[in-house]
Amino acid sequence: MASAVPEKARARAAALRTQIREADHRYYVLDDPLLADSEYDELYRELVELETTWPELLTDDSPTRRVPGSVAAGFEPYAHPSPMVSLDNVMTADDFREWVVSGDRYLKSDAPRTFSVEPKIDGVGLELIYEQGLLVAAATRGDGLVGENVTANARTIRSIPQRLRGPGVPEWIAVRGECYCRKDDFLAFNRAAEEAGTRTFANPRNFVAGSLRMLDSSIPAARPIRYFAYALGGVRGTTYGSQGELIDALAALGLPTIPEARVLTGADAVVARYGELAAERESLAYELDGVVVKVDDATLQDRMGMRIRSPRWAVAWKFPAQRAQTRLLAVDWSVGRTGVVTPRAILEPVFLAGVTVQHATLHNLDELERLAVRVGDVVELERAGDVIPKVLRALPESRTGNEHDIEIPTACPACSTALARAEGKVALRCGNFACPAQLKGHLAHLAGRGALDIRGLGEKQIEQLLREGLVEDAADLFCLDEERLAGLERWGTKSARNVLEQIEAARTRPLDRFLVALGIREVGERGAQILARAFGTLAGVAAATREELLELDEVGEALADSVLTWFAEPRHRAMLERMATAGVRPLRVEAPAGGVFEGLTIVITGTLEALSRDEAKQLVEGLGARSSSSVSKRTDLVVAGPGAGSKLKKAQELGLEVIDEAEFLRRAGRT
Ligand code: IVH
């Protein structure tokens, strides 16, 4: 009953909201606080109190809504209003100048151009949709066409305004930018987490990515995540003449923009600015992994246009991977889920590219030989972006005589089985199918994100289940008993129930995720998707012949043979049967529905001009079709470029429909 709210309360709530929004803007966007923390808290409490007393006062864009109370069941897909493209990379100044020259050629002009030169923020891309100035949706990039709707989480990020400000608020705008975490905030978060014994993160980017994907938005709400706006996904009711103008407009709308962005003319000025940013990198508040250079003028941007996945008018000029030197203290050997035994360097802790590094991969025996490294050596490390640090080389000149050779194990460190090194292969392998380390690795993989995603079943828990003899293979996970679980040390009824609920949900994961979970060699995310789409069911994949597998596009002999071998193994068949008995029913994976090529089998042959082969295949699949490499009666459509030979001939003999690249692009809606 709105009428019950006293006018005074209504006016006070509105005034408080304005004040709090302004304070948020000054604090989170301008980095120039307006109020002391205690004053802010006081206003905030007063607003919460008013909204609690008169719930009718609560508006969707109220600052109090940033601390949410609901947990989502999953993320809805979100179709971006225009593709969220990625950028081509250059690594050196020469490459960059070459990119400028190729732009000149494209534009048929070598008049100096103006560029917007911006730090490439090492975070997670996020699109924000504002309607009439109100934040109505936020979505991750996903595959560029469809992302995940993470609006509830985005609302908790205080540098993202819930409502745009000032004159010039467009009726509709899609803003693109990056969620990131400042280096100091990240260190403080990890320090506090360590003290509290809760989860720490490897780097700011993982931290942000994980936070955005939380179903319970009270988690990101409590984390120091920020946002920079730097691009446009679309706008109605106005236009911006240049990237510089866009950035100024975004800032005027109350969005945070990157303070270090500059508009500069000519390649030399860009090269100089790149050098400055590389030098300032350590002292900047956020992590950047390079520089993004964008043609400033919007008319030129339009004229230069797009390739399929990246614009011609922008490029990412990456920083080289960062390096450091430290001492190799020891080498330990770990057994992966496929039995491969790999060496890992234990290092004297060293700070490198924002994190303290204590371990690095040494890959395999060949790599050890190549490095000729000894325990006690000083080694040079490299860490590029997100990847595990790598040992680049040893520095024999700094040897003291106290170094010693790395001992290559002859027996599995987990089960003592003698290790084999297959002829011509670089891997040391433990051939014991029952090796506990392999089993642990396999179960951890199966419960992991890209596979069955069983939350609450991490390595520690799996180790415990194996130790206690509750599971001996993956099928046993689906037969766990609540009482026994709850009785384990550190478990209890609540966590037992949670994990069993997760396992329940895992019984009906999509077939491709299930195939990934089985851990068949060579079958990664992509391979699993292809198999799942082609055969529909697990029984279908299990029954596939070598010919049927090889007929699939992108499926080579290694993958086909690996699938055949896996399913031929009686232990695997028995395990699948026990899973089926325990109610495991992977869901059929359909190609995306509603695409213009829905349900068709398409063969691409010859050379294409506008698209690479991979791009064409992705396009075909994104529009609902199956891409195949061989022409048969079952082929529906053949796309033939110049140079097409036997496949084209066969298609003609079979009387199939054959089109050229231009027609293909037209049907795909890409021209
Ligand atoms: S602009 C057409 N600007 O880098 C322009 N991207 O491949 C599209 N990124 O994942 C992007 N800082 O999330 C742009 N200042 C910046 C950026 C930036 C970081 C990320 C972005 C995307 C990748 C580009």
Side-chain angles (χ1 to χ4, degrees):
M1 274 178 296
S3 57
V5 183
E7 201 38 54
K8 232 172 101 188
R10 190 181 296 279
R12 180 66 187 150
L16 284 169
R17 258 176 228 139
T18 310
Q19 248 181 311
I20 292 171
R21 253 181 230 132
E22 182 61 24
D24 278 345
H25 181 69
R26 289 282 294 266
Y27 188 94
Y28 292 102
V29 179
L30 304 181
D31 226 347
D32 175 23
L34 183 68
L35 302 176
D37 286 0
S38 58
E39 292 172 293
Y40 180 90
D41 291 346
E42 191 50 47
L43 297 177
Y44 194 92
R45 254 198 305 275
E46 193 186 340
L47 180 59
V48 172
E49 218 172 280
L50 282 172
E51 289 174 343
T52 320
T53 316
W54 289 287
E56 301 93 317
L57 284 179
L58 197 55
T59 55
D60 266 353
D61 64 331
S62 173
T64 60
R65 279 287 170 105
R66 289 192 190 272
V67 184
S70 68
V71 178
F75 297 110
E76 295 284 319
Y78 187 95
H80 296 293
S82 62
M84 246 174 122
V85 295
S86 56
L87 297 178
D88 277 351
N89 290 333
V90 293
M91 293 303 297
T92 63
D94 283 349
D95 290 351
F96 169 70
R97 288 181 192 277
E98 177 51 38
W99 176 79
V100 174
V101 172
S102 73
D104 291 348
R105 273 200 301 269
Y106 196 86
L107 291 169
K108 299 192 175 57
S109 152
D110 57 4
R113 264 177 290 142
T114 298
F115 301 98
S116 176
V117 186
E118 307 166 12
K120 182 168 189 302
I121 310 295
D122 196 5
V124 178
L126 188 73
E127 175 168 72
L128 308 174
I129 309 288
Y130 288 91
E131 267 172 29
Q132 311 299 348
L134 278 186
L135 178 67
V136 293
T140 58
R141 176 169 182 276
D143 65 2
L145 299 176
V146 178
E148 286 181 318
N149 185 331
V150 292
T151 312
N153 288 344
R155 284 195 198 285
T156 69
I157 299 172
R158 284 166 212 274
S159 57
I160 294 180
Q162 307 252 46
R163 173 196 283 279
L164 299 177
R165 49 169 55 219
V169 173
E171 54 184 81
W172 179 94
I173 185 170
V175 175
R176 290 180 182 167
E178 202 88 354
C179 284
Y180 70 101
C181 175
R182 285 167 57 135
K183 293 190 269 194
D184 53 355
D185 285 338
F186 177 72
L187 290 177
F189 179 92
N190 259 357
R191 218 173 292 130
E194 211 156 274
E195 271 165 29
T198 53
R199 173 161 186 209
T200 60
F201 289 82
N203 58 49
R205 183 150 71 107
N206 284 352
F207 175 63
V208 173
S211 305
L212 276 180
R213 295 201 76 261
M214 286 290 163
L215 293 174
D216 175 355
S217 44
S218 66
I219 299 173
R223 292 181 175 179
I225 298 172
R226 295 169 185 255
Y227 187 74
F228 277 136
Y230 52 61
L232 190 65
V235 64
R236 274 182 227 135
T238 185
T239 53
Y240 306 105
S242 67
Q243 171 70 11
E245 200 178 291
L246 169 68
I247 297 213
D248 290 345
L250 294 174
L253 292 171
L255 286 152
T257 52
I258 312 171
E260 288 72 23
R262 301 280 182 275
V263 174
L264 301 167
T265 300
D268 289 343
V270 178
V271 173
R273 181 64 184 153
Y274 173 93
E276 283 171 16
L277 285 169
E280 283 170 26
R281 183 174 184 187
E282 291 299 320
S283 62
L284 289 171
Y286 49 84
E287 289 207 338
L288 60 161
D289 57 349
V291 171
V292 178
V293 185
K294 306 172 183 173
V295 169
D296 190 50
D297 186 317
T299 318
L300 289 185
Q301 291 178 2
D302 278 350
R303 270 180 55 202
M304 296 180 82
M306 294 283 300
R307 278 178 294 251
I308 284 288
R309 252 176 307 171
S310 55
R312 277 194 196 85
W313 51 267
V315 76
W317 182 359
K318 294 286 210 54
F319 289 143
Q322 285 177 283
R323 294 184 179 181
Q325 293 184 355
T326 188
R327 200 171 291 281
L328 177 67
L329 300 177
V331 173
D332 71 2
W333 298 82
S334 62
V335 188
R337 64 185 166 87
T338 57
V340 174
V341 179
T342 43
R344 185 174 70 145
I346 314 276
L347 305 161
E348 211 165 80
V350 60
F351 198 70
L352 173 58
V355 296
T356 302
V357 173
Q358 302 190 52
H359 304 286
T361 171
L362 289 164
H363 298 295
N364 53 42
L365 298 182
D366 276 9
E367 179 72 357
L368 285 186
E369 223 161 88
R370 188 188 70 75
L371 292 168
V373 60
R374 310 188 73 197
V375 173
D377 270 345
V378 174
V379 292
E380 187 167 38
L381 306 177
E382 180 179 272
R383 179 170 174 270
D386 229 7
V387 298
I388 309 168
K390 191 179 140 122
V391 175
L392 286 180
R393 62 189 185 108
L395 281 73
E397 58 274 23
S398 52
R399 283 190 180 150
T400 61
N402 292 330
E403 299 75 18
H404 59 87
D405 281 343
I406 296 168
E407 224 173 292
I408 314 281
T410 52
C412 170
C415 70
S416 306
T417 303
L419 296 178
R421 190 175 182 187
E423 189 81 35
K425 291 269 166 69
V426 291
L428 265 185
R429 194 181 286 275
C430 164
N432 174 11
F433 282 122
C435 170
Q438 285 182 48
L439 199 52
K440 185 182 117 191
H442 177 222
L443 294 179
H445 164 80
L446 174 137
R449 272 283 170 80
L452 297 188
D453 198 8
I454 305 175
R455 306 273 166 96
L457 201 60
E459 284 208 14
K460 281 210 185 78
Q461 289 80 7
I462 289 169
E463 233 171 65
Q464 197 181 9
L465 295 182
L466 286 168
R467 211 173 39 237
E468 301 284 338
L470 264 63
V471 294
E472 275 170 19
D473 72 6
D476 292 336
L477 282 179
F478 298 96
C479 309
L480 285 171
D481 170 81
E482 182 180 321
E483 224 170 288
R484 290 239 20 217
L485 264 189
L488 295 180
E489 208 182 320
R490 292 189 307 270
W491 277 72
T493 315
K494 189 157 173 256
S495 33
R497 253 184 220 160
N498 279 346
V499 165
L500 287 176
E501 259 169 42
Q502 290 276 323
I503 292 177
E504 183 57 39
R507 286 179 217 270
T508 50
R509 292 273 187 257
L511 178 59
D512 57 336
R513 304 260 301 267
F514 190 77
L515 288 170
V516 169
L518 292 179
I520 306 170
R521 262 180 234 167
E522 308 284 336
V523 180
E525 196 182 327
R526 178 83 188 134
Q529 229 171 43
I530 294 169
L531 294 173
R533 286 198 188 152
F535 300 108
T537 61
L538 193 57
V541 181
T545 64
R546 192 160 195 274
E547 290 65 42
E548 284 170 332
L549 288 165
L550 287 176
E551 194 179 289
L552 300 176
D553 215 8
E554 291 176 62
V555 172
E557 303 209 336
L559 199 158
D561 288 336
S562 173
V563 169
L564 291 170
T565 316
W566 198 93
F567 283 99
E569 169 65 42
R571 282 175 320 104
H572 291 154
R573 288 196 170 258
M575 183 180 85
L576 290 177
E577 256 169 47
R578 283 175 42 236
M579 284 188 178
T581 314
V584 175
R585 301 270 181 278
L587 291 184
R588 196 175 263 279
V589 178
E590 308 286 353
V596 285
F597 295 137
E598 192 173 342
L600 302 185
T601 299
I602 300 182
V603 174
I604 299 166
T605 178
T607 8
L608 302 184
E609 271 157 15
L611 298 177
S612 74
R613 220 12 117 69
D614 278 350
E615 287 168 343
K617 282 178 193 162
Q618 285 195 359
L619 192 54
V620 159
E621 288 184 7
L623 294 167
R626 189 160 87 76
S627 148
S628 167
S629 55
S630 61
V631 173
S632 74
K633 281 188 307 231
R634 277 174 288 169
T635 310
D636 296 295
L637 184 64
V638 175
V639 182
S646 60
K647 290 183 194 175
L648 175 60
K649 204 164 143 242
K650 183 157 179 204
Q652 284 159 344
E653 281 163 17
L654 290 169
L656 302 174
E657 185 181 6
V658 179
I659 60 175
D660 65 7
E661 184 182 8
E663 172 63 14
F664 170 67
L665 287 173
R666 198 190 58 73
R667 290 195 196 176
R670 293 300 149 105
T671 45

